[in-house]
Amino acid sequence: MESRNGNLVELRNVHKVYFRDRIEVPVLQGIDLTIREGEFVALMGPSGSGKSTLLNLIAGIDSPTDGEVRVAGESLGTLKPGKLAAWRARHIGFIFQLYNLIPVLTAYQNVELPLLLTKLSAKERKKRVLKVLGLVGLEARAKHFPRQLSGGEEQRVAIARAIVADPTLLVADEPTGDLDAKNAAEILTLLQRLHAELEKTILMVTHDPHAAERAEKTLHLDKGVLQP
Amino acid sequence: MKYFRLIWANLLRAKRRTFLTVFSIAIALFLFCTLRTVITSFEASLRASEATRLVVRHGASLVFPLPLAYRERLVQVPGVNGVSYGNWFGGFYQDPKNQFAQFAMDVPTMFDLFPELVMPADQVQAFRSERTAAIIGKALAKKYGWKLGDQVPIIGTIFPGEWRFVVRGIYEGKTKDVDENTLFFHWDYLNESLPEGRKNQVGIYWIRVASPDLAADVSRRVDAMFENSPQPTKTETEKAFQAGFISMIGNIQLLLTIIGSAIVFAIMLVTVNTMMMAARERTTEIAVLKTLGYSDGLILRLVAGEALLVSLLGGLLGCGLAALVFHESDFTASGFFPNFRVLPETIVAGLLLAVLMGILSGIVPAVTAARLEVASALRKVA
C-alpha cells in the first residue's frame, strides 16, 4: 500500500469555492481529514453542506481551490489528467446514488467496464466479473439489462462494478438514497460485508442516521466545515 | 477491439436514428459513386481513343453530313494511311427505353481503322459477306441475350422504319476501356435503303495517320482542302473529338463535382448534428466512465469511433449498392455512357470519403465529451 502511517486519505486545509453567476460560493472551508486503511466511515450533513463535493475531491474527480488532497500516497493536485484517470481506475471504486449503470449494457458488461482498462485477458476478466456478481448475489442476472433489474439489484450491480478492479478505496454517494428500506438494508449489509470480509476502506455519504450507524465512524459536515 | 462492444451497444441505443443516419450517408455515397462513375466513364472513352485516329466531320455541326465523295480525296492526303466512315443510326430495340449506340459502318475498312474490336476471323468473314449482318459488343449480347444467328429488329428514329439485322459476330474490346455496348452494321445496307436525296452521305470519316506527330498537320490539310466547299470539315484527333462531344453538355466534370460535394457536405452536417445529439444525451454516462478511470483520450476515441463506424457502415452500404446496381443493370444511359461501371478506385474513394465524413462528424462531439468535467456533469444529474 502506498499510504503513509496507515493513513489512506489525508486532507490538509482543503477549500473549495464554486462560482455561480460570478458570485463566490464557498463549499468547503479548511477541511482537515484523515481516514485510515480499512476504516468504514460515514459522512453526514444537511443538503448543501459539501458532502458530495468532499467525496468528489477524495475520488479525484474534482480538484480543491486550495489545500492538499492525498489519497493512497498520492497528492492528487500534482497529477495530470491522464495520470489522474489511471489513478482513479487503480484506486477508486465509486458507488452512485442513482446507480448510473450504462443502460445499453448487460449487468455483466457493466461490471466488466473497469476491467477493460486493465491488461487482463477476456478469460481473466470473465472470471473476475462472475466472481463479484456472485459476491453481490447476482450471478444469475449477468445477462440482464439494467431496465430488467429492480433498484436494489441495480445498486448491487453498481457495487460489483465498483469493487471488480479491487480498488484501494470505495466511495459511496448516498448509496441507499434511492432505495426502499428493505433494499437499503441489504445494500448496507453488503457494504459491511465488503468492509469486514475484504477489508475494504469505505467512505459513505448519507443523510440517513440508520445507514450511518452501520459505519465504524461518523463524520459530520455542516456549511463546509467538519464538526468536532 | 475490446471497446468495440461498447461502441456498438451505443449505436444500437437508438436504432431508428442510427439506421436513418447510416441510410442518409449511404445515399450520399451512392450518389457520389454514381456521379464519379459518370466522370470515369467519360475518361474511359477518352482513354479508348487512338492517338493516330482522326475524326472528320462537318465544320458547322455533327448533325450535318459530308458527301461520300470526300473519301477519295481524304485517301490522297499525305500522311493518311487509312480511311473509314460511318453514320450514327440512333434507333432502339422494341421499346424507346432500350437504347444503345448503333453505327452504320463501311465494313471493308472498319476493322483496319478499329483494331480494338476483337472478333474471331470466321465471324469477321460472316459479317463482311452478308449485307444485313451486324456485329454486337459482348456486353450488349449479354444484356439482351442475343446469340449468333439471331435476328435483331431495330426501330430507326433518324432513319425511320424497322431495320432487321442478323447477328454474325460478337466482339470484345482489346482493353477494358473499349465500349462493348454498340451494334455495327453495313453502311451500304443503310445507304441503299434511303431515298435518293439522302443517299451517299456520311456522318463521320475516320482517318488514320502514320504517327501521332502527323495529326496536327493532316488535320490542317484536310480542313484547308474543303475550306471553300459547301460542306467544310472540322478535323481533330479522336480524343479531342470525344472531349468536345462531352463538352457540348457543358463542364460536366465541374458540375458533377459540385453536386457531389454539396450532397456529401449536407449529409455530413446532418451526421455532425446527430452525433452531437447522441453524445449530449449521454453526458452522465460519459461522466461515469471518466469516474471509472476512462481517460479523456479514450473517451475521445470511443465517441469518434461511433461516428466513424456509422459513416463506414453508410459508406459500405452506399458504395456497395452502387457497384451492385451498375454492374447488374449494365446501365449505359442510351449508349451515352459506354462502360458505365463503378471502378474499384471509385469504391476506394467513396470509402475514404466515408472515413473523412466520420472523422469530421465525430470530432466536435468527441472533443466535447473528452473535455467534459466529471464533477459538474454528475452535479447536473443529482
Side-chain angles (χ1 to χ4, degrees), chain A residues 107-141:
Chain A
Y108 178 96
Q109 291 166 339
N110 266 289
V111 176
E112 193 188 21
L113 282 172
L115 297 183
L116 296 179
L117 299 169
T118 67
K119 290 179 177 171
L120 292 175
S121 67
K123 196 175 167 185
E124 288 168 318
R125 291 201 302 268
K126 183 175 182 181
K127 197 173 153 190
R128 285 178 74 161
V129 170
L130 292 178
K131 185 181 168 191
V132 293
L133 277 174
L135 197 68
V136 299
L138 286 176
E139 203 167 3
R141 300 282 215 167

Side-chain angles (χ1 to χ4, degrees), chain B residues 53-69:
Chain B
R53 207 156 51 210
L54 307 183
V55 173
V56 185
R57 60 174 175 88
H58 195 287
S61 167
L62 192 59
V63 298
F64 298 119
L66 296 169
L68 179 61

Side-chain angles (χ1 to χ4, degrees), chain B residues 49-238:
Chain B
S49 308
E50 288 282 330
T52 56
R53 207 156 51 210
L54 307 183
V55 173
V56 185
R57 60 174 175 88
H58 195 287
S61 167
L62 192 59
V63 298
F64 298 119
L66 296 169
L68 179 61
Y70 280 13
R71 183 184 173 280
E72 295 310 317
R73 297 180 66 186
L74 289 172
V75 169
Q76 288 164 20
V77 175
V80 171
N81 64 8
V83 176
S84 189
Y85 54 91
N87 279 67
W88 170 260
F89 184 71
F92 59 84
Y93 171 62
Q94 290 181 336
D95 188 285
K97 282 187 288 188
N98 298 330
Q99 296 215 9
F100 50 88
Q102 304 108 28
F103 277 95
M105 297 294 290
D106 179 44
V107 175
T109 55
M110 74 171 279
F111 290 103
D112 183 34
L113 265 288
F114 297 93
E116 66 266 34
L117 306 178
V118 179
M119 215 165 58
D122 58 327
Q123 292 182 21
V124 173
Q125 189 52 41
F127 177 44
R128 280 185 167 159
S129 58
E130 191 175 337
R131 220 164 178 69
T132 58
I135 60 169
I136 53 176
K138 190 179 163 190
L140 196 60
K142 185 184 167 197
K143 183 175 181 183
Y144 292 110
W146 290 335
K147 307 179 295 296
L148 294 177
D150 281 359
Q151 281 237 350
V152 177
I154 301 291
I155 313 297
T157 51
I158 301 171
F159 305 98
E162 183 181 295
W163 300 69
R164 290 191 163 269
F165 305 105
V166 183
V167 177
R168 291 299 182 204
I170 297 172
Y171 72 87
E172 285 183 39
K174 194 181 270 180
T175 67
K176 64 180 173 53
D177 293 329
V178 176
D179 170 30
E180 291 180 349
N181 282 290
T182 301
L183 180 148
F184 297 103
F185 64 96
H186 288 254
W187 184 87
D188 290 344
Y189 175 44
L190 172 71
N191 192 49
E192 71 190 21
S193 311
L194 294 175
E196 208 52 44
R198 293 186 73 180
K199 279 190 196 298
N200 299 325
Q201 292 184 340
V202 170
I204 300 169
Y205 282 101
W206 288 272
I207 59 179
R208 193 183 55 222
V209 291
S211 91
D213 303 340
L214 295 171
D217 188 44
V218 169
S219 298
R220 265 195 307 276
R221 282 172 186 265
V222 170
D223 291 343
M225 194 160 64
F226 302 110
E227 194 173 7
N228 297 315
S229 69
Q231 284 101 2
T233 58
K234 181 174 181 187
T235 307
E236 56 198 341
T237 60
E238 192 172 52

Side-chain angles (χ1 to χ4, degrees), chain B residues 29-31 33-34 37 317-327 342 347:
Chain B
L29 270 298
F30 175 82
L31 290 172
C33 286
T34 306
T37 302
L317 190 64
C319 296
L321 200 64
L324 197 68
V325 165
F326 296 120
H327 172 71
V342 183
I347 301 283

